[in-house]
């Protein structure tokens, strides 16, 4: 009888390595770090390093590296970071030509080897990549989500906490829409321990925080020459954990929309309940007219990248 869960990480780069470290520390299950054959050594090396780390930190997890999809067979969760990250000056959408064939390759293999898995896509441009993964595999959309909103909301939370001189632990923030410069911060859902953030922070400062949140990924790319990996990995692990432990957390995720918020046949960031059933519910919040307009703008940006993907069949 299989008792331990199996988590396969497709892409053993910066985010993949951090994902493996987090899954192991949390003892979510056994971890397989997969990369293309020419990078299988990196995957195997990181896996061995992390298994040795377990002897110090005291976690029980089998961590293996591989360049063979067959080793991912029977995965309960797949987290996909395959692709290239941004370089300074690039937008996420600039990655579409490079990452599209990669996500298609990953989709074909996932369909063959991991048809039962709950899938979290991180590769950018996120909303288009997760759409393409779902389209190409034909997997149930309840089992395919994109990671963006948890990360964008974390960035928003941090900046709010700093401005209000509050603990980041007390901040609840929600960012919806596409994972791009038009993402939509939902101020009505932002509180500092229940107190609306707008009561504690002035409009000018709030506007500056929203601007910084929208460019939050780019700010890090500019500093490091590549994209962030600690917070992206933690965000995806929060989603994976909610699925594996049936926590039913309410998290902003890129989910497949069939009429919610007035959008159809697209992935975009919305509040989602994640439990053992995958995407168990998409919550429809009452948005202000302003928020609706921002969401429409964001949806338009997402759709334009998805159109590129659809044309490239
Ligand atoms: N199958 C599996 N892995 C692949 C494939 C493929 N077809 N093609 C590339 N990869 C691997 C690369 O070999 C590399 O090891 O994906 C890994 C990506 O790792 P990094 O370059 O370190 O990138 P990372 O920072 O982890 O970001 C990955 O997530 O947030 C997004 O924009 C980011 O699209 C990027 C992705």
């Amino acid at each position: 009888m299989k008792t331990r869960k199996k988590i396969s990480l497709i892409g053993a780069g910066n985010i993949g390595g951090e994902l493996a470290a987090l899954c192991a520390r949390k003892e979510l299950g056994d971890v397989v770090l997969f990369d293309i054959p020419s990078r299988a050594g990196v995957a195997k090396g990181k896996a061995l390093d992390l298994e040795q780390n377990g002897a110090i930190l005291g976690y029980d997890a089998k961590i293996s590296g591989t360049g063979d999809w067959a080793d991912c067979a029977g995965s309960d969760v797949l987290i996909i970071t395959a692709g290239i990250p941004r370089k300074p000056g690039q937008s996420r959408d600039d990655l579409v030509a490079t990452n599209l064939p990669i996500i298609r390759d990953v989709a074909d293999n996932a369909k063959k080897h991991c048809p039962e898995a709950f899938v979290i896509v991180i590769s950018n441009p996120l909303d288009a990549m997760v759409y393409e993964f779902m389209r190409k595999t034909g997997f149930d959309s309840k089992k395919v989500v994109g990671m963006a909103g948890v990360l964008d909301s974390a960035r928003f939370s941090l900046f709010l906490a700093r401005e209000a001189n509050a603990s980041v632990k007390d901040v609840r923030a929600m960012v919806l829409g596409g994972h791009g410069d038009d993402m939509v911060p939902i101020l009505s859902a932002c509180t500092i321990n229940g107190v609306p953030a707008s009561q504690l922070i002035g409009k000018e400062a709030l506007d500056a925080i929203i601007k910084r949140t929208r460019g939050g990924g780019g700010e890090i790319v500019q500093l490091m020459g590549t994209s962030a990996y600690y917070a992206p990995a933690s965000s995806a692990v929060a989603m994976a954990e909610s699925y594996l432990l049936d926590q039913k957390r309410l998290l902003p995720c890129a989910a497949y929309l069939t009429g919610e918020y007035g959008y159809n046949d697209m992935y975009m960031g919305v509040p989602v309940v994640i439990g053992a059933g995958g995407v168990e519910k998409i919550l429809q919040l009452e948005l202000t007219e302003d928020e609706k307009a921002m969401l429409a703008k964001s949806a338009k940006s997402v759709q334009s990248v998805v159109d590129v993907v659809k044309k490239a069949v």
Side-chain angles (χ1 to χ4, degrees):
M1 187 180 77
K2 186 180 146 211
T3 48
R4 291 225 206 168
K5 298 295 183 186
K6 179 170 175 178
I7 303 150
S8 291
L9 309 172
I10 310 304
N14 283 339
I15 304 179
E18 181 61 13
L19 283 169
L22 287 169
C23 290
R25 280 183 203 197
K26 285 176 167 277
E27 296 187 321
L28 290 182
D30 291 333
V31 177
V32 178
L33 253 176
F34 171 91
D35 213 300
I36 47 176
S38 61
R39 296 255 305 163
V42 173
K44 287 179 184 171
K46 286 191 182 186
L48 194 53
D49 189 9
L50 284 166
E51 281 204 313
Q52 292 162 4
N53 203 24
I56 304 159
L57 297 181
Y59 51 72
D60 255 321
K62 188 166 177 291
I63 308 160
S64 53
T66 185
D68 183 353
W69 264 98
D71 293 327
C72 302
S75 296
D76 298 285
V77 171
L78 272 189
I79 308 181
I80 299 168
T81 61
I84 54 151
R86 283 197 275 175
K87 295 189 181 56
Q90 278 188 315
S91 77
R92 294 183 181 92
D93 296 351
D94 292 335
L95 304 176
V96 70
T98 325
N99 286 350
L100 182 58
I102 294 177
I103 201 77
R104 286 181 173 162
D105 165 60
V106 171
D108 287 342
N109 281 297
K111 187 173 180 178
K112 187 166 164 205
H113 298 278
C114 314
E116 303 299 327
F118 177 64
V119 183
I120 302 170
V121 177
I122 303 184
S123 310
N124 274 313
L126 189 268
D127 306 276
M129 293 299 105
V130 64
Y131 177 88
E132 183 60 11
F133 181 91
M134 201 274 282
R135 192 192 68 79
K136 194 95 171 61
T137 53
F139 284 2
D140 181 348
S141 60
K142 286 189 169 46
K143 300 286 286 289
V144 180
V145 282
M147 187 295 293
V150 178
L151 172 62
D152 296 329
S153 304
R155 289 176 173 151
F156 195 30
S157 298
L158 173 73
F159 302 146
L160 289 168
R162 290 287 184 264
E163 180 63 31
N165 200 19
S167 164
V168 76
K169 290 188 212 168
D170 287 337
V171 182
R172 289 283 172 277
M174 187 171 294
V175 177
L176 305 181
H179 189 40
D181 298 343
D182 303 317
M183 61 181 78
V184 186
I186 306 295
L187 270 181
S188 52
C190 292
T191 70
I192 300 176
N193 215 357
V195 181
S198 51
Q199 284 185 19
L200 302 173
I201 301 174
K203 180 163 179 350
E204 212 171 290
L206 268 178
D207 287 346
I209 288 170
I210 290 170
K211 186 161 181 261
R212 190 171 177 197
T213 302
R214 287 184 165 141
E219 183 179 352
I220 292 178
V221 173
Q222 207 58 41
L223 289 166
M224 299 205 296
T226 190
S227 51
Y229 44 97
Y230 294 115
S234 299
S235 304
V237 168
M239 293 161 67
E241 195 174 19
S242 193
Y243 171 74
L244 288 167
L245 306 185
D246 194 22
Q247 289 172 333
K248 304 196 191 296
R249 292 194 63 190
L250 172 58
L251 299 168
C253 303
Y256 186 66
L257 303 179
T258 53
E260 295 86 353
Y261 294 90
Y263 300 99
N264 245 307
D265 189 32
M266 70 185 299
Y267 268 84
M268 194 164 67
V270 287
V272 159
V273 174
I274 296 188
V279 174
E280 295 189 349
K281 194 173 181 184
I282 294 177
L283 256 82
Q284 301 228 48
L285 304 180
E286 284 281 328
L287 300 182
T288 63
E289 288 308 312
D290 247 20
E291 289 164 347
K292 279 186 201 161
M294 283 192 279
L295 197 63
K297 188 171 175 223
S298 186
K300 212 170 156 201
S301 305
V302 170
Q303 194 60 57
S304 67
V305 188
V306 173
D307 287 344
V308 172
V309 167
K310 280 184 175 167
K311 272 191 204 130
V313 172

